[in-house]
Amino acid sequence: MTEANVSMFERIGGEHTIDRLVESFYHRMDTLVEARGIRDMHDPDLEPVKRVLKRYLTEWLGGPDLYSSERGHPRLRQRHMGFPIGDAARDAWMLCMDGALAETVADEGACQNIRESMKKLADWMRNRQDAEEG
C-alpha cells in the first residue's frame, strides 16, 4: 500500500496514537498556566470531552466514522459558539495541541500536516475579539 492510499489515522498509528494525543492535549490544558482560560471553559471532569475529541479526531484523520455516527455532522463552530474564542484562546489551544502532537506523532511529515490543518481550524473557530474575551 502506498502512502497515498494510507489514511492519516493509519499513518500516525491509529487508535493508540489518538488516545495518547488526546490525553497529552488535556494534560497540557490541565497543567499549563497559559491554558488556564481554555481549561476554565470545560467541566471539572474532562473524561466526557476526551471521549468526544478522540472520536472526532479518529474520523477527521480518516479512521472509522465514530463521531458522526453518534453525534451527526460536527458543526464545530456552531457547537463552540457559546465559548469566547479569540486570539488568546486559539493560541492557548494550539499551544496544547502543538505539544501533544510533538509528543505523540513520530512521523514528522504527518505531524506537520496535522498541525497546519489544526492551525486553520483553530483560527476559523474564533468568534470574539480579544478585548471581548472573559
Side-chain angles (χ1 to χ4, degrees):
M1 193 177 282
T2 67
E3 188 175 298
N5 295 333
V6 176
S7 70
M8 189 62 75
F9 175 78
E10 294 171 298
R11 184 174 166 189
I12 67 170
E15 181 180 357
H16 175 71
T17 301
I18 296 293
D19 287 347
R20 290 179 51 236
L21 175 66
V22 171
E23 292 298 325
S24 178
F25 172 78
Y26 281 110
H27 173 74
R28 283 170 166 70
M29 188 185 290
D30 252 348
T31 59
L32 295 176
V33 172
E34 301 91 340
R36 184 173 295 134
I38 59 171
R39 177 59 178 97
D40 290 346
M41 293 180 198
H42 293 76
D43 289 333
D45 180 9
L46 291 173
E47 291 308 313
V49 74
K50 285 180 185 180
R51 182 179 181 276
V52 171
L53 184 57
K54 286 176 184 180
R55 295 173 82 74
Y56 174 78
L57 289 176
T58 294
E59 186 169 333
W60 184 69
L61 292 171
D65 292 344
L66 302 178
Y67 182 92
S68 61
S69 65
E70 184 177 285
R71 299 176 61 97
H73 189 281
R75 301 184 327 261
L76 292 180
R77 198 150 195 275
Q78 179 182 350
R79 291 181 193 264
H80 290 81
M81 198 54 74
F83 301 99
I85 304 171
D87 291 349
R90 176 205 55 203
D91 294 348
W93 193 91
M94 279 306 304
L95 177 68
C96 295
M97 186 54 72
D98 280 342
L101 285 166
E103 181 181 319
T104 60
V105 178
D107 180 322
E108 286 298 320
C111 187
Q112 187 60 33
N113 287 342
I114 295 168
R115 181 177 287 118
E116 289 304 315
S117 293
M118 290 282 187
K119 283 181 183 178
K120 290 175 186 172
L121 177 62
D123 196 51
W124 180 74
M125 295 295 290
R126 289 177 304 144
N127 58 29
R128 304 278 195 288
Q129 296 296 319
D130 275 333
E132 298 175 39
E133 288 186 79

